[in-house]
């Protein structure tokens, strides 16, 4: 286990998943599904993906007043996460995500955030202790937006790098872009943040605008198309690894968590690092579930070396 410390502050959900032939339309019932329950939440998924790369990762989340909470905490610890500062709600249940996954691996998610909504600034305190030894703060958008905005500002005050993944899609205050070191977005999230329709021809211009507004690195995940990276110094495009998708849930989270681990260890983003992160998310889509599909470091390395430059 390395000494770099990533701090992820974000959501935890219990994912109730039905794998079915096709996603239901409004008013339609699709039968013959197969049910599975596993742990998820964008915060927890990203924290776990980073920890599985053997980088010291602390996870702060808010769990509910239900039987899931104790099991989740134990599960996080067993999966190498540092969980000394987990919060518990006394009035809300743990977050629940209802997820439909189609035969070709696409999903659609309905979320009841529950305790995640109580991850507020009032419930997080003692900034000196909270950010002690932290090199990279990782945030997503399944906790209150006000908390995210305040955390980004606090981290900057303390000179801590910030990786922000505005998922599910949200619009952040533009002035915060100057405080974001790594902005990881998919196409929809980029469109929301930039206010522009994105295509392959204007990707560079739109990400360039975000750099001009102060963001230091923009990483755009494009699913099967791969990843585009833009900073003041360079731009890189990498292709995704072609795999048979079973369930794409959590693939973006796996990418973010592994990227966070790579940044904490090496800092500079290269083609190889982006490819390595794509390898981790490629593995994750070949398996069911968000957290059960996150690969270990050994597994990711093996896949990366066997498939890269083939
Ligand atoms: O990004 C995937 C995650 O989104 C799932 O684990 C689910 O909990 C929702 O938060």
């Amino acid at each position: 286990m390395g000494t770099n410390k990533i701090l992820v502050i974000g959501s935890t959900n219990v994912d109730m998943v039905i794998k079915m032939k096709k996603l239901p339309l409004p008013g339609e019932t699709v039968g013959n599904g197969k049910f599975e329950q596993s742990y998820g939440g964008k915060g927890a998924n990203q924290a776990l993906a980073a920890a599985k790369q053997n980088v010291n990762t602390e996870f702060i989340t808010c769990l509910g007043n239900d039987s899931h909470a104790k099991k989740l905490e134990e599960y996080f610890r067993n999966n190498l996460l540092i969980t000394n500062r987990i919060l518990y709600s006394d009035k809300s249940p743990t977050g629940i995500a209802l997820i439909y996954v189609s035969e070709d691996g696409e999903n659609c998610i309905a979320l009841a955030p529950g305790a995640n909504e109580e991850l507020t600034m009032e419930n997080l305190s003692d900034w000196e202790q909270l950010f002690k030894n932290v090199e990279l703060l990782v945030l997503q958008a399944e906790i209150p937006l006000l908390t995210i905005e305040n955390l980004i500002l606090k981290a900057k005050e303390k000179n801590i790098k910030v990786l922000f993944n505005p998922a599910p899609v949200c619009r952040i205050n533009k002035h915060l872009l100057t405080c974001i070191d790594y902005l990881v977005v998919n196409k929809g999230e980029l469109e929301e943040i930039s206010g522009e329709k994105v295509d392959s021809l204007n990707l560079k211009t739109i990400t360039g605008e975000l750099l001009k507004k102060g963001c230091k690195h923009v990483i755009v995940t494009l699913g099967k198309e791969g990843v585009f990276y833009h900073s003041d110094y360079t731009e890189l495009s990498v292709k995704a690894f072609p795999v048979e998708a079973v369930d794409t849930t959590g693939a973006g989270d796996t990418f973010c968590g592994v990227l966070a681990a790579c940044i904490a260890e090496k800092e500079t983003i290269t083609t190889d690092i982006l490819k390595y992160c794509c390898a981790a998310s490629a593995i994750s889509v070949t398996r069911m579930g968000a957290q059960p599909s996150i690969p270990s470091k050994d597994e990711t390395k093996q896949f990366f070396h066997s498939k890269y430059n083939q």
Side-chain angles (χ1 to χ4, degrees):
M1 183 76 75
T3 51
N4 307 312
K5 195 166 137 192
I6 295 173
L7 174 63
V8 182
I9 303 182
S11 60
T12 296
N13 298 323
V14 175
D15 287 355
M16 311 238 174
V17 186
I18 300 185
K19 174 97 179 176
M20 53 207 345
K21 207 162 174 56
K22 66 178 223 32
L23 301 179
L25 297 169
E28 186 187 20
T29 302
V30 178
N32 289 327
K34 192 169 165 284
F35 174 75
E36 279 178 30
Q37 181 178 307
S38 55
Y39 295 138
K42 295 183 197 304
N45 299 346
Q46 295 185 15
L48 209 78
K52 284 190 141 192
Q53 294 295 316
N54 302 344
V55 173
N56 270 325
T57 305
E58 175 167 4
F59 182 43
I60 299 181
T61 192
C62 186
L63 302 174
N65 60 351
D66 49 33
S67 60
H68 295 302
K70 277 277 157 248
K71 289 187 203 145
L72 271 158
E73 196 177 336
E74 201 185 322
Y75 163 85
F76 289 151
R77 284 214 194 94
N78 291 341
N79 280 282
L80 308 175
L81 282 174
I82 303 163
T83 55
N84 302 335
R85 285 178 282 202
I86 281 188
L87 307 172
Y88 291 92
S89 163
D90 50 17
K91 53 179 193 284
S92 306
T94 299
I96 297 284
L98 299 182
I99 306 181
Y100 300 141
V101 180
S102 68
E103 214 167 42
D104 57 2
E106 287 310 315
N107 66 40
C108 115
I109 304 179
L111 196 62
N116 292 309
E117 286 193 317
E118 285 169 50
L119 203 44
T120 57
M121 289 306 275
E122 299 74 62
N123 292 335
L124 289 165
S125 54
D126 195 354
W127 301 105
E128 293 305 328
Q129 281 308 315
L130 194 72
F131 286 140
K132 207 169 165 204
N133 299 325
V134 171
E135 296 202 356
L136 181 68
L137 173 69
V138 178
L139 300 166
Q140 322 68 31
E142 280 184 341
I143 57 171
L145 200 54
L146 199 61
T147 307
I148 297 164
E149 297 190 337
N150 276 296
L151 282 170
I152 292 174
L153 294 172
K154 286 272 180 214
K156 271 303 112 179
E157 258 172 43
K158 307 258 172 234
N159 243 336
I160 290 163
K161 292 208 165 53
V162 174
L163 183 155
F164 180 46
N165 171 222
V169 178
C170 67
R171 185 163 284 195
I172 51 155
N173 208 318
K174 288 274 183 308
H175 77 266
L176 283 175
L177 285 172
T178 55
C179 306
I180 295 173
D181 297 280
Y182 304 90
L183 181 72
V184 187
V185 282
N186 64 19
K187 191 165 163 271
E189 291 148 10
L190 180 58
E191 288 184 343
E192 184 64 35
I193 285 192
S194 65
E196 309 220 28
K197 196 101 196 95
V198 175
D199 59 40
S200 55
L201 298 176
N202 65 13
L203 192 55
K204 186 179 161 186
T205 315
I206 290 175
T207 49
E209 287 301 319
L210 295 178
L211 296 176
K212 278 190 208 143
K213 287 183 181 141
C215 181
K216 317 239 171 0
H217 309 256
V218 183
I219 301 104
V220 189
T221 55
L222 299 161
K224 286 182 199 153
E225 308 303 319
V227 174
F228 176 71
Y229 166 76
H230 203 171
S231 74
D232 281 339
Y233 307 101
T234 187
E235 58 184 84
L236 304 167
S237 280
V238 305
K239 289 209 171 88
F241 292 96
V243 286
E244 194 81 22
V246 169
D247 179 6
T248 53
T249 313
D253 297 332
T254 300
F255 182 93
C256 285
V258 176
L259 180 66
C262 292
I263 291 167
E265 283 194 324
K266 298 208 178 69
E267 277 218 14
T268 316
I269 295 186
T270 60
T271 302
D272 276 7
I273 284 187
L274 295 173
K275 266 295 210 196
Y276 183 79
C277 299
C278 286
S281 39
I283 297 171
S284 81
V285 305
T286 62
R287 306 197 276 237
M288 279 302 291
Q291 290 178 23
S293 70
I294 298 171
S296 67
K297 183 172 188 171
D298 284 351
E299 202 181 357
T300 314
K301 271 171 119 178
Q302 208 179 6
F303 181 98
F304 173 77
H305 291 302
S306 68
K307 304 274 185 210
Y308 197 19
N309 292 331
Q310 246 182 16

